[in-house]
Amino acid sequence: MPEIRTRFAPSPTGYLHVGGARTALFNYLYARAKKGKFILRIEDTDQVRSTEASYHQVLDSLRWLGYEWDEGPEVGGAHGPYRQSERLHLYKEHADRLINEKKAYPCFCSTEELDRKKKQREAMGLPYVYDGKCRSLSETEVSEKKAQGLEHTIRFRSSAKEILVDDMVQGSVRFDTALIGDFIIVKSDGFASYNYAVVIDDHLMDITHVIRGVGHLSNTPRQIMVYDAFGWKPPQWAHVSEIVGSDHKKLSKRHGATPITAFRDLGYTARTFNNYMALLGWSSPEGHEYMALEELKSQFDVARCSKSPSMFDVFDLEKAADVDLAQVTIAELEKYLFPKSKLNWLSNQHIRNTSETQYIEEILPFVHSVGVVPEAETNVQNERLVSILLSLRVYLDTLGQIKEYLPDFYAPFAPRAEDFRDSEYFQSENFVSLAEAFLRQIGQMTQGEKLTHDAVKTGIQAVGKEINIKGKPLFMGLRLATTGRLTGLELPVYLELLGRERVVERVTKMVALKKEA
RNA sequence: GUCCCCUUCGUCUAGAGGUUAGGACUCGGGAUUUUCAUUCCCGCAACAGGGGUUCGAUUCCCCUAGGGGACGCCA
């Protein structure tokens, strides 16, 4: 059996979003699952819209996601070059061959003329098909027109027949080529058009499986005609369902066509994203949902892909009305995410299940950007930072959320009386005696002794005995007195991480606040 | 308009001609946690509608409705 070769062929006309990334993922996974090769090809024949910046963005995104390509730009390979703009000679050669064999012909019809005819057909309620005006131009007519300097395109000469697309996902789908007509394979600027270039490239690159969005299904008969004209064998087709936004429409700027890098910047890991995207339209035969890339690489099969579209449902569109989610800042974008999405749940699972070292390594850049931890302490050697980060990880849906928690441990403590006006524990008459008793307990500890988990526990018990309260009032009162908050980590852990000095400072400030009030 | 595709809990999905239609996220309730969270248990919630075929259809066929996609010198 020949080696399986898949490819991802983005056009560098924008950034990579979830739709494109998922197509890349499927191609990558299929190649890996079948021990084949994954090829990256850049389709930059649209001279107007392709940009170098976009090219770099796309590669950057692909690298972040971890889809190392076996052949492609910046890696090379035996089937290069891998940018269509560098393969022009190949398209030319093959187009000449088709013209010589009378399977293609030059067309001098102007855009205006074509537009007019198209509108006429539309007005009659008919699908637009090229009328074949230039189909039987004689050679002398052709050279005359060329001599006049008229621009021309090259059209493929199609014949009416039925074409059966045998698709691994869609099944057998029939198309009538009479509805397609003679389509353009070379544009007047001399560049190959998509439906033609893709065939030349896929054939020359020995692509065995074309996995792409179902939007391409109706292009497939055109491509099959080109394969037939050359006498080549078409690849296996696999047209996977499109990903739609919460509005049930194809991902658009407003509805989730957010650059994949935005999710990276928010603090979702590539592991999370790959796992989540794999679940959009595919399911593991074992029914697993939480999966590492390794499992995906061995289990994925395009044959298990669903035909129905899946919704990328992570944004609250009610909130995001009139907002272009592809343009807003990361901080802004975060506000429009559903906090309880499956994506967040998966992300949390991945954060808490990775190794401690990997987690620390990955979160450090985010810690850095919060800006409250002193530069000198922002490293893996800092025990306090590391303990804090490890205690907090169960709470994080994204690495970026660390910014919610860090200031509590590092920023100056400045409680304000109005924040506690409605707190029953702060208003309680026991509050001061409770706080002071705890302060005395800490004071009894020898100089320099660390406020450990256990020391806090025994301290709390002693306070309870002394003041003669127990239960919730004891704990909540002390929590408020020592942290200025009613929620957070388990109290002993919390105080240990805060450290003796900070705890003393907090209790002192809280007591002062209470006495003032 | 023409052609193609789709429709299982709110969402991601499993499923097979006979199942109490399963799981996950969310949501609700409870237990544990002397807080929130975590964890655990329980629960709510779906086969778009109508016709066939069949002993039996959510599963196969047809129609309707709704949705999506394609119909470019874009890819």
Side-chain angles (χ1 to χ4, degrees):
Chain A
M1 207 169 107
E3 182 179 62
I4 301 291
R5 290 170 60 87
T6 66
R7 48 59 163 194
F8 178 56
S11 56
T13 53
Y15 45 79
L16 192 69
H17 59 81
V18 180
R22 193 269 234 126
T23 302
L25 206 218
F26 283 4
N27 276 285
Y28 172 70
L29 292 179
Y30 193 69
R32 291 292 171 266
K34 302 291 177 189
K35 305 270 180 276
K37 293 281 191 291
F38 173 60
I39 287 96
L40 177 63
R41 180 174 75 226
I42 304 297
E43 310 221 321
D44 54 355
T45 52
D46 185 340
Q47 293 190 85
V48 182
R49 296 194 306 149
S50 298
T51 69
E52 198 61 16
S54 163
Y55 165 78
H56 288 292
Q57 266 178 41
V58 170
L59 292 218
D60 184 40
S61 303
L62 257 15
R63 283 204 193 90
W64 174 65
L65 289 162
Y67 314 155
E68 68 281 1
W69 48 98
D70 301 297
E71 293 175 26
E74 300 182 14
V75 169
H79 303 74
Y82 293 92
R83 295 178 70 150
Q84 289 190 327
S85 56
E86 294 166 11
R87 301 173 63 82
L88 268 22
H89 59 288
L90 294 167
Y91 308 135
K92 173 96 177 50
E93 253 167 54
H94 287 88
D96 288 346
R97 185 172 146 195
L98 288 181
I99 292 173
N100 287 338
E101 294 173 5
K102 304 268 184 259
K103 289 172 178 165
Y105 60 89
C107 169
F108 295 89
C109 296
S110 69
T111 317
E112 295 72 38
E113 187 180 351
L114 261 16
D115 279 350
R116 211 180 54 239
K117 286 180 180 168
K118 190 183 297 180
K119 287 209 179 85
Q120 280 174 6
R121 299 271 304 183
E122 264 169 21
M124 290 189 289
L126 297 167
Y128 172 70
V129 181
Y130 177 61
D131 64 2
K133 186 182 171 196
C134 298
R135 216 169 197 238
S136 35
L137 253 28
S138 69
E139 275 181 41
T140 48
E141 280 174 307
V142 168
S143 33
E144 268 172 29
K145 282 179 190 284
K146 279 185 181 167
Q148 285 170 35
L150 283 179
E151 283 196 334
H152 72 280
T153 58
I154 311 253
R155 282 185 188 271
F156 183 85
R157 192 186 301 272
S158 76
S159 51
K161 61 180 166 191
E162 190 172 71
I163 285 190
L164 193 70
V165 178
D166 188 15
D167 194 281
M168 293 171 82
V169 178
Q170 303 291 325
S172 292
V173 189
R174 277 169 206 288
F175 290 94
D176 182 356
T177 64
L179 265 18
I180 294 171
D182 294 350
F183 55 95
I184 291 173
I185 60 174
V186 178
K187 300 181 265 185
S188 58
D189 65 1
F191 273 53
S193 72
Y194 171 75
N195 282 302
Y196 166 68
V198 81
V199 171
I200 306 296
D201 290 339
D202 284 340
H203 176 259
L204 260 25
M205 291 181 179
D206 287 337
I207 300 302
T208 59
H209 295 255
V210 169
I211 304 171
R212 72 231 303 193
V214 72
H216 288 284
L217 183 62
S218 44
N219 283 143
T220 309
R222 288 182 178 77
Q223 294 166 23
I224 291 178
M225 285 193 268
V226 178
Y227 275 101
D228 289 347
F230 283 112
W232 295 338
K233 182 173 173 277
Q236 287 268 288
W237 310 103
H239 289 92
V240 297
S241 66
E242 224 80 61
I243 296 182
V244 298
S246 309
D247 59 350
H248 291 277
K249 289 203 169 62
K250 195 173 161 181
L251 249 30
S252 67
K253 296 221 165 178
R254 252 216 70 207
H255 296 135
T258 312
I260 202 88
T261 49
F263 294 98
R264 172 192 66 189
D265 298 343
L266 242 12
Y268 292 98
T269 60
R271 284 187 300 288
T272 301
F273 242 77
N274 286 325
N275 191 163
Y276 184 79
M277 289 192 299
L279 259 18
L280 253 27
W282 176 81
S283 60
S284 115
E286 276 100 6
H288 293 176
E289 306 227 314
Y290 171 82
M291 284 171 284
L293 231 210
E294 289 312 313
E295 182 172 357
L296 294 171
K297 281 203 255 184
S298 63
Q299 294 296 301
F300 183 79
D301 189 340
V302 75
R304 270 188 74 83
C305 285
S306 153
K307 279 171 137 186
S308 49
S310 357
M311 193 185 289
F312 182 55
D313 196 21
V314 303
F315 291 112
D316 187 337
L317 294 186
E318 306 242 323
K319 266 200 216 165
D322 308 319
V323 177
D324 181 348
L325 291 174
Q327 296 296 327
V328 298
T329 62
I330 297 299
E332 200 49 21
L333 187 63
E334 190 170 23
K335 287 194 241 161
Y336 300 121
L337 283 164
F338 282 120
K340 300 295 230 170
S341 66
K342 192 162 185 173
L343 172 64
N344 277 6
W345 172 80
L346 252 187
S347 181
N348 175 266
Q349 295 296 308
H350 273 101
I351 285 174
R352 56 164 73 193
N353 286 318
T354 45
S355 73
E356 293 189 355
T357 49
Q358 186 171 16
Y359 161 70
I360 297 296
E361 196 178 300
E362 285 174 342
I363 201 169
L364 236 34
F366 291 91
V367 171
H368 204 93
S369 66
V370 176
V372 295
V373 184
E375 197 75 14
E377 293 176 33
T378 312
N379 59 61
V380 291
Q381 274 81 40
N382 190 283
E383 280 178 36
R384 184 163 109 98
L385 209 218
V386 171
S387 318
I388 289 172
L389 294 176
L390 288 176
S391 310
L392 251 21
R393 78 163 153 173
V394 211
Y395 292 80
L396 304 177
D397 283 340
T398 67
L399 297 173
Q401 283 175 3
I402 196 67
K403 68 175 185 295
E404 317 280 338
Y405 301 92
L406 245 24
D408 191 39
F409 292 95
Y410 288 92
F413 183 66
R416 295 175 312 168
E418 62 256 43
D419 294 338
F420 306 108
R421 198 152 288 154
D422 300 326
S423 163
E424 56 170 311
Y425 301 109
F426 186 73
Q427 296 307 331
S428 157
E429 49 197 51
N430 281 331
F431 188 75
V432 172
S433 43
L434 204 59
E436 288 178 338
F438 190 71
L439 223 40
R440 278 196 300 281
Q441 285 297 324
I442 296 179
Q444 279 172 16
M445 293 166 61
T446 47
Q447 206 71 38
E449 191 184 330
K450 273 182 84 179
L451 185 62
T452 62
H453 185 268
D454 288 337
V456 173
K457 267 192 181 164
T458 48
I460 293 174
Q461 277 167 4
V463 169
K465 252 186 199 159
E466 187 184 330
I467 314 290
N468 196 27
I469 44 171
K470 54 183 176 177
K472 213 164 169 175
L474 202 217
F475 264 73
M476 291 309 277
L478 278 179
R479 177 178 281 278
L480 191 64
T482 51
T483 67
R485 291 160 162 260
L486 289 170
T487 60
L489 299 174
E490 195 189 334
L491 196 54
V493 174
Y494 199 170
L495 296 193
E496 179 174 333
L497 291 171
L498 235 27
R500 186 170 171 172
E501 279 170 37
R502 282 187 192 78
V503 172
V504 170
E505 182 203 350
R506 287 185 188 203
V507 177
T508 312
K509 282 186 177 168
M510 288 303 287
V511 167
L513 203 63
K514 170 75 180 180
K515 283 181 174 169
E516 277 169 30

